[in-house]
Amino acid sequence: MLQSTSECALLFQQFDWASSPLGPVDGWSPELRTLVDVTMNSLQPMLIVWGPEQIILYNDGYARMCGNRHPGGFGHPFRDLWYDIWDQVDPIISAAYAGHGTSMDDIEFIMHRNGFPEETHFAFSYTPVRDPTGAVLGMFCACTETTADVRLRREQVSERERLLRIFELSPAATAALTGPNHVFDFANAAFAAMIGDRDVIGRPAAEALPALAQAGLITSLDAVYRSGMPLTAHAMPLMLETDSAHTRGKRLIDLICQPMRDPSGAMAGILLQTQDVTEQLAEEEHRNLLARELAHRLKNQLAMVQAIVSQTLRSAGDITSARRALGDRLAVLGAAHDMIIKGGANTSTMAEVVAQMTQVHDDKLAPRIQVDGPPLRIAARPTLSLSLILHELATNASKYGALSVPSGRVQLNWDLSGPNRDRVEISWTEHAGPPVAMPQADGTGSKLIKAGLSGTQDCQVEIAFHPMGLHCRICADLKGFESEH
């Protein structure tokens, strides 16, 4: 009857069908004989359930799905093979015997086919088999075990979810763009914060963030998608809406565009990782400016010492008092220099920073720098900047301004300002000095003064060269002025 030499075909030929409810093979119906021939010669797992006793025949493909219940289940009732899942199988086989076919792309069972419980998945179809009169003789099933595919899909979903959790927790602003139109599929909290918490998911990048198109970045994304080659950019200027009120501002962005491929290797999208480096670059520039100023001051230390010595000797009545005054002033100069290097670690109030400057540049017996202002605390970073600025203003006044002549004087005031008194305003005004003229170019000192106070978010510096004397006004946010970062 069979031409196949498969394991189940040999098992079929050796089976004692005469003692089976199906009886000798010679007495089988044409429908059953045809199905057996098709089943045993097929590479796809196939099952035949026949007669009122629901006797089963299957091929090698189905035998592999039976685990250690093969070959014991061959030629016996269907229920005896799958007794552990019969509550799920019985309604389906009963429907087939009632003439109703069933097809499922995925059905889940907890099987004990190998002696332990395991989750399994199958795609199958149960088809009733009828005789010429329409009576149901049995059922034919073509099926495929999909357990490995389901596990793989779960692992892929789990891996995607794990990656999304990693990206969500990443401090770098990260987004995933899919398709040739770069549709936002994912954006983490850092990315949302960078763009002002705008809703971009499901929208093409050019539509969701027009600033990307204005900066030419959409063209770059197109090139990455076509070529599959990554793209990096440093300090790219972008006009972004950086808060929920859609306040626009120029930001400098570091950018990495990494191609993403599907399992077949085809381009699927782009992983976008960005970092706002605006403040970082501004801080680096400010540090470089301070470093240049420190170098400038180191070169002028001998000149300053010489000036202190000359001033001290001119006003001292005798050598003992000159030695004492000179030692005190040189100690103050050293402390000021240490404070500049250490970033103001030992200074905590406005009065202390001002006092340190006046000790170096003013005369206690005949003071010419008049100060006035309320108690204010200063954080370390603005302390460094303010110390440098005040020393620069005093040095310039001693060389060219009000402090370079006996009649000159300086008024240094500070106070809180603004409608909510949330800003600090510092005023340096020179009087009765030589005529003042605006310099043709800014020197290192002028650049330092105009750089403002490090650590503050909004600092404005105004320098006016009035004929009667220089005036410098510094206005900054109080929170940055007082808070440590």
Side-chain angles (χ1 to χ4, degrees), residues 12 15-17 19-23 28 32 35-36 47-58 62 72-81 86 93 97 137-141:
F12 174 86
F15 198 88
D16 183 12
W17 293 109
S19 61
S20 164
L22 297 182
W28 288 7
L32 178 56
L35 285 176
V36 169
L47 166 73
I48 303 169
V49 181
W50 206 258
E53 296 83 1
Q54 298 182 356
I55 303 301
I56 58 173
L57 302 94
Y58 51 77
Y62 194 90
F74 192 88
H76 293 86
F78 195 26
R79 182 187 188 115
D80 293 350
L81 177 63
W86 191 246
I93 190 70
Y97 268 73
L137 301 174
M139 182 273 297
F140 175 72
C141 170

Side-chain angles (χ1 to χ4, degrees), residues 283-299 337 340 384 388 444 448:
E283 185 64 25
E284 288 178 2
E285 176 59 28
H286 202 80
R287 284 199 301 268
N288 290 336
L289 179 62
L290 294 181
R292 291 193 295 268
E293 174 60 19
L294 287 173
H296 168 70
R297 286 194 167 278
L298 288 173
K299 292 178 182 179
H337 187 63
I340 293 170
L384 170 62
L388 286 171
T444 302
L448 172 71

Side-chain angles (χ1 to χ4, degrees), residues 155-170 174 186 188 260 271:
E155 290 172 359
Q156 290 173 339
V157 170
S158 177
E159 179 68 12
R160 172 181 167 83
E161 291 176 348
R162 186 179 70 84
L163 290 175
L164 289 179
R165 285 195 297 270
I166 291 174
F167 289 140
E168 183 60 45
L169 297 174
S170 172
T174 304
F186 167 80
N188 68 358
M260 298 189 299
L271 182 66

Side-chain angles (χ1 to χ4, degrees), residues 205-251:
E207 172 191 317
L209 294 176
L212 300 183
Q214 295 168 4
L217 188 56
I218 300 300
T219 301
S220 299
L221 292 175
D222 291 339
V224 172
Y225 193 86
R226 286 194 305 269
S227 68
M229 300 297 292
L231 168 72
T232 61
H234 176 63
M236 172 182 288
L238 285 178
M239 292 296 295
L240 293 177
E241 295 178 357
T242 55
D243 55 37
S244 57
H246 304 309
T247 303
R248 290 176 61 83
K250 181 180 178 181
R251 313 299 294 175

Side-chain angles (χ1 to χ4, degrees), residues 32-98:
L32 178 56
R33 295 169 67 89
T34 299
L35 285 176
V36 169
D37 185 62
V38 170
T39 298
M40 295 302 173
N41 287 284
S42 175
L43 297 178
Q44 182 181 2
M46 290 184 177
L47 166 73
I48 303 169
V49 181
W50 206 258
E53 296 83 1
Q54 298 182 356
I55 303 301
I56 58 173
L57 302 94
Y58 51 77
N59 62 7
D60 288 7
Y62 194 90
R64 286 189 289 271
M65 298 189 302
C66 295
N68 58 19
R69 296 181 183 180
H70 172 75
F74 192 88
H76 293 86
F78 195 26
R79 182 187 188 115
D80 293 350
L81 177 63
W82 297 127
Y83 58 88
D84 53 333
I85 58 172
W86 191 246
D87 59 332
Q88 293 175 269
V89 175
D90 183 39
I92 307 174
I93 190 70
S94 296
Y97 268 73

